[in-house]
Amino acid sequence: KTQLSLATSSTDQLKRSAQRDAVGVAAKLQLDGLRAERWLSEKAADPATRAALTKATPDARGDAARQLSDQIANAAPSALGAKPSIVAVVDSNGKILGRNGSDLGRGDDVAATYPAFKEALAKTAPGSDVWTDTKRADQYIASYVPVRDDNNRNMMLVIGVALNDALARVTEAASGRGVLLVNEKGDVLANTQTSEDVKKAVRESA
């Protein structure tokens, strides 16, 4: 009882401890993103990947992109320790050429929704980011790397892990405390072990 009382009576100590936990969680999320980028880069460099995307017609390229996405999605859990919610090939215009598990979403313009991705696509630069969009039902930690097909077309390989799954993987750094991912407006994008009172307090203090 005495130890608990001391631990919870010092607001400064609690704040410092929570800040350390938050930094630890953020670092783990960033590390997961970098690991996904490195692994995707290996896939992008595979001649079989480039060849699969070098088809004569848009439909053929779309079918090849879906097959490639399915292969990457199946290999991801053992390589990254996480099952992706989406794997996709995005063309140079920022539109989905093909994705895993479905032909739905083919032609969706993700570059128009996510400015950072549009910029990365223009620079053919890899990156990782938080993708949330209510209309598209997106809630991902997304990582992406450029891939150039045999006809010199630039595209992106994209892999997205559900936000809640991503947070669940990194909460060991938070000493059992709940973790929230919050945007600049105070909207709670994802959380673990957190009450509505905590969410309300976060929104009000954003």
Side-chain angles (χ1 to χ4, degrees):
K1 182 178 179 180
T2 302
Q3 288 176 330
L4 286 172
S5 177
L6 288 172
T8 58
S9 62
S10 172
T11 303
D12 288 341
Q13 182 177 333
L14 284 171
K15 183 178 180 180
R16 287 194 298 271
S17 177
Q19 287 173 335
R20 285 195 300 270
D21 287 348
V23 169
V25 168
K28 285 195 171 188
L29 284 174
Q30 291 168 6
L31 180 60
D32 283 350
L34 288 171
R35 186 180 292 119
E37 289 172 37
R38 177 172 293 182
W39 183 71
L40 276 180
S41 294
E42 294 174 359
K43 297 295 182 184
D46 189 335
T49 297
R50 297 197 301 272
L53 300 176
T54 305
K55 302 293 182 181
T57 67
D59 285 345
R61 287 196 296 275
D63 291 342
R66 176 178 173 175
Q67 291 176 8
L68 175 63
S69 298
D70 283 334
Q71 292 170 5
I72 293 174
N74 291 334
S78 60
L80 302 176
K83 183 179 179 180
S85 296
I86 182 174
V87 177
V89 179
V90 179
D91 67 18
S92 58
N93 296 314
K95 296 182 178 180
I96 292 178
L97 184 62
R99 59 160 294 173
N100 65 306
S102 174
D103 289 329
L104 295 175
R106 189 177 289 187
D108 283 0
D109 193 343
V110 291
T113 306
Y114 302 110
F117 177 70
K118 183 177 182 179
E119 183 177 345
L121 184 63
K123 295 179 178 178
T124 61
S128 294
D129 203 354
V130 177
W131 284 7
T132 61
D133 183 74
T134 304
K135 294 179 181 177
R136 295 172 47 86
D138 287 354
Q139 274 199 319
Y140 310 126
I141 297 285
S143 297
Y144 39 85
V145 300
V147 57
R148 188 189 299 269
D149 71 10
D150 290 343
N151 289 327
N152 223 27
R153 285 182 292 243
N154 285 313
M155 306 181 194
M156 283 282 193
L157 294 182
V158 179
I159 189 168
V161 176
L163 277 181
N164 284 331
D165 291 347
L167 280 189
R169 279 172 48 80
V170 298
T171 49
E172 313 89 61
S175 304
R177 278 193 274 251
V179 175
L180 299 92
L181 187 63
V182 186
N183 67 11
E184 72 280 4
K185 299 176 184 176
D187 301 323
V188 177
L189 305 179
N191 65 272
T192 65
Q193 303 175 356
T194 303
S195 69
E196 291 302 319
D197 288 341
V198 173
K199 293 180 186 178
K200 183 174 182 290
V202 169
R203 282 192 297 269
E204 289 177 350
S205 63

